[in-house]
């Protein structure tokens, strides 16, 4: 064998099975130093983080393999979910030697180990990862009538003109309170279900819909009520029914780390007739919050006083949100939703998420729990605690911010191989079900619009500039070309492709609230929307795009080529992210190849497919 590596955990010549393993599963390790190095002994050093234990297992010599000595061992994975860091120790009969880690041979004792994730096998509903998700910011998607905010919590006001810009300037007190509303509603969403079905959507993810004083509704006022500006509980039930008739499920946003200061539970301004924690120590919700001293000072999310943090360990809160038979988690599942997205999952204790998932599965075994995590969720540290999100008892899947980061870096001039490396790291670290259930997206309510990110050549310094910023015709043209490429990768990559409302219509905007404009009904970029609809349709039609394995075919410079494969079907994505045409040659086992984007057919000669990818061009080959 002539491979340049001594150990590569992604190669079956060195480690099987690939990636994360089930508790107790046998793992074969093979370490292959060059024979000329003279190593006669090799040990596998495993440091188990959660159990705080260490193992050192000496490998046996399996014999020479060409110019290499092969050391091998069969090791049982831990019996409980675990995060293990491992490296090798190599030495000769005379005692000389060194360590081997991700960087190569080391003799300085500073180890950069490999990661092994051990998880408990559990059921992950397949509908999320195989589907197409559409994220809606409810106030800004579709309104049927201009609502009257009289009598609603918060000092709300409503834009009469749907095309207005969201308010971004501070109020006279210097605060941005997000009290301007546009009046999008659940009935408005219902009226657009056919449009969403035509995009290939199978899951609607709604930003918070519960009663709240702000337009984003992340400061919940009452978990038991739909915000009256959005409609009623019956409207939500009707949305779930009508969406379900079109093969679309509904997922709600659960904000369980904090509430609103203007809420039934805190009631700082006395809007609600019952006693909140800010009004009386006798309030049934008093123990939900940490005061020091009461009532002036209290723990709040990132110190924002309109978002008082709850004490998740409070038995009354756990009962209210999770454990009671009419808890918030259970009652809305029974109302027809199919899953929960957990806001700021890093702020929720592991045990809380575990209890929440257990309640979800008890209520609806086919429901899905998604977490907002911005980094690699397999090894995330939050508040000095290593998290256990994906080890089998907490989250089914997470928001895939690393996918977005790596894809944008590639499309903005980076190397396709860096994208491959970032995704292979996740594929290696995540349990397979979690990797294939990741929420892949180009933008969300927390990021700038994808068209602006890919089209702009600078980031305006002031918020006033960003509020007024619009792409020039040339910038927009280049941005649209890159968005089409980004969508092609997203819709064909493992995980759930997720469209933030309006991205398919060509909406622009920097950060919140400029990324939360109203949907431009009647003013959509129809060509871009048609491309998204075509990709969504292909995703729904082709099983290989829903659940096929991933094989990298070519990743270098601007060229990114990968395949999704099942025994009976194969789909190949080819992308050129440069301004120059690029030739591409691929082995092809049949006489013709079809580009599913254009319908163009290509002949294959001598088993090789020779193509030229146009500037900022892509193909979907079958």
């Amino acid at each position: 064998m002539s491979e340049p590596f001594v150990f590569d955990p992604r190669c079956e010549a060195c480690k099987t099975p690939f990636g994360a393993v089930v508790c107790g599963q046998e793992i074969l390790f093979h370490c292959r130093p060059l024979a000329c190095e003279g190593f006669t002994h090799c040990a596998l050093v495993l440091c188990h983080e959660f159990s705080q234990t260490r193992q050192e297992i000496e490998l046996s010599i399996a014999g020479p393999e060409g110019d290499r000595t092969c050391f091998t061992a069969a090791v049982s994975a831990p019996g409980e979910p675990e995060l293990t860091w491992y490296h090798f120790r190599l030495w000769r009969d005379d005692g000389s030697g060194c360590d081997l880690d991700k960087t190569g041979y080391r003799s300085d004792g500073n180890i950069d180990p490999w990661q092994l994730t051990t998880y408990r096998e559990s059921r992950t509903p397949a509908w999320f990862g195989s589907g197409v998700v559409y994220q809606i910011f409810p106030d800004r998607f579709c309104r049927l009538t201009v609502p009257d905010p009289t009598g609603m919590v918060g000092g709300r006001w409503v834009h009469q003109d749907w095309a207005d810009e969201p308010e971004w300037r501070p109020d006279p007190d210097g605060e941005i309170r997000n009290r301007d509303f546009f009046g999008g509603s659940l009935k408005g969403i219902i009226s657009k279900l056919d449009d969403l079905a035509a995009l290939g959507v199978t899951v609607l993810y709604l930003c918070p819909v519960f009663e709240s004083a702000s337009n984003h509704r992340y400061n919940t006022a009452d978990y038991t009520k739909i915000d009256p500006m959005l409609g009623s509980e019956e409207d939500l039930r009707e949305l779930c029914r009508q969406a379900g008739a079109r093969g679309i499920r509904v997922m709600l946003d659960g904000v369980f780390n904090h509430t609103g200061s203007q809420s039934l539970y805190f009631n700082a301004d006395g809007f609600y007739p019952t006693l909140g924690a800010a009004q009386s120590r006798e309030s049934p919700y008093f123990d939900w919050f940490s005061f020091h001293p009461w009532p002036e000072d209290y723990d709040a999310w990132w110190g924002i006083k309109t978002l008082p943090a709850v004490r998740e360990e409070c038995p009354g809160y756990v009962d209210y949100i999770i454990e009671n038979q009419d808890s918030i988690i259970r009652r809305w599942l029974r109302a027809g939703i199919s899953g929960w997205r957990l806001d700021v999952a890093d702020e929720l204790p592991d045990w809380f998420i575990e209890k929440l998932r257990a309640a979800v599965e008890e209520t609806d075994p086919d429901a899905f729990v998604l977490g907002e995590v911005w980094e690699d969720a397999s090894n995330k540290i939050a508040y000095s605690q290593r998290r256990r999100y994906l080890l089998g008892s907490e989250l089914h899947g997470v928001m895939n911010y690393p996918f977005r980061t790596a894809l944008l870096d590639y499309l903005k001039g980076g190397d396709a191989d860096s994208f491959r490396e970032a995704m292979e790291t996740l594929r290696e670290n995540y349990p397979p079900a979690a990797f294939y259930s990741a929420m892949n997206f180009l933008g969300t309510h927390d990021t700038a619009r994808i068209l602006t990110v890919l089209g702009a050549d600078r980031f305006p310094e002031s918020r006033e500039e960003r509020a007024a910023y619009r792409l020039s015709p040339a910038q927009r043209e280049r941005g649209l070309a890159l968005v089409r490429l980004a969508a092609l990768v997203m819709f064909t990559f493992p995980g759930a492709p997720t469209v933030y409302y309006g991205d398919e219509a060509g909406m622009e905007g920097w950060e919140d609230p400029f990324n939360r404009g109203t949907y431009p009904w009647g003013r959509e970029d129809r060509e871009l929307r048609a491309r998204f609809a075509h990709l969504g349709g292909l995703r729904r039609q082709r099983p290989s795009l829903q659940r096929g394995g991933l094989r990298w075919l070519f990743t270098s410079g601007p060229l990114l080529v990968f395949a999704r494969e099942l025994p009976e079907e194969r789909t190949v994505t080819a992308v050129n992210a440069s301004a120059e045409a690029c030739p591409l040659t691929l082995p092809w086992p049949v006489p013709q190849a079809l580009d599913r984007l254009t319908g163009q057919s290509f002949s294959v000669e001598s088993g090789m497919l020779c193509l030229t990818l146009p500037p900022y061009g892509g193909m979907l080959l079958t």
Side-chain angles (χ1 to χ4, degrees), residues 415-594:
D415 193 317
D417 202 54
S418 296
F419 174 77
R420 179 200 61 81
E421 174 63 26
M423 295 302 96
E424 281 296 274
T425 297
L426 292 186
R427 191 164 76 99
E428 185 178 6
N429 290 350
Y430 284 20
F435 181 75
Y436 282 86
S437 295
M439 176 191 266
N440 299 335
F441 53 85
L442 306 177
T444 73
H445 63 291
D446 287 325
T447 68
R449 287 280 176 180
I450 183 64
L451 180 55
T452 298
V453 171
L454 291 177
D457 53 17
R458 68 182 184 89
F459 180 73
E461 293 185 7
S462 71
R463 281 177 64 83
E464 188 169 7
E465 285 182 279
R466 297 196 293 277
Y469 187 92
R470 297 295 182 274
L471 297 173
S472 69
Q475 289 174 326
R476 188 172 173 90
E477 182 179 356
R478 180 177 181 275
L480 286 169
L482 290 174
V483 169
R484 287 192 289 269
L485 292 187
L488 173 59
V489 175
M490 180 181 72
F491 273 92
T492 58
F493 201 77
T498 301
V499 179
Y500 180 47
Y501 82 101
D503 277 351
E504 82 286 5
M507 289 180 66
E508 299 181 25
W510 291 108
E511 81 283 7
D512 165 27
F514 314 124
N515 59 352
R516 301 177 183 182
T518 54
Y519 192 97
W521 296 108
R523 297 178 286 110
E524 305 96 323
D525 184 313
R526 297 188 181 279
E527 183 181 342
L528 184 62
R529 191 182 189 283
R531 170 58 64 91
F532 273 75
H534 186 54
L535 290 170
L538 288 168
R539 177 80 181 204
R540 292 191 75 160
Q541 295 162 17
R542 297 190 63 78
S544 58
L545 294 182
Q546 297 172 27
R547 58 180 186 275
L550 173 66
R551 183 186 301 275
W552 303 97
L553 302 182
F554 189 83
T555 56
S556 180
L559 287 182
L560 171 65
V561 189
F562 60 88
R564 300 292 305 282
E565 298 176 331
L566 291 173
E568 69 279 7
E569 184 181 280
R570 184 171 186 253
T571 307
V572 174
T573 300
V575 171
N576 171 22
S578 79
E580 305 294 331
C582 288
L584 176 65
T585 301
L586 297 172
W588 205 260
V590 294
Q592 284 193 316
L594 175 67

Side-chain angles (χ1 to χ4, degrees), residues 127 204 206 209-210 226 236-237 239-241 249-254 328-341 360 363-364 366-368:
W127 56 263
L204 286 183
L206 306 182
V209 298
F210 303 128
I226 300 298
L236 179 68
R237 291 175 179 268
L239 172 60
C240 293
R241 283 192 291 267
R249 296 172 183 261
V250 175
M251 172 181 283
L252 292 188
D253 212 331
I328 299 306
I329 289 296
R330 299 176 193 270
R331 66 170 291 169
W332 294 110
L333 287 169
R334 289 196 292 264
I337 72 166
S338 296
W340 287 97
R341 178 261 192 188
V360 164
T363 308
D364 179 0
D366 202 34
F368 195 90

Side-chain angles (χ1 to χ4, degrees), residues 339-360:
W340 287 97
R341 178 261 192 188
L342 301 185
D343 184 58
V344 292
D346 293 346
E347 313 277 345
L348 299 171
D350 284 299
W351 62 263
F352 186 92
I353 299 175
E354 187 171 351
K355 280 180 177 288
L356 188 148
R357 173 166 164 176
V360 164

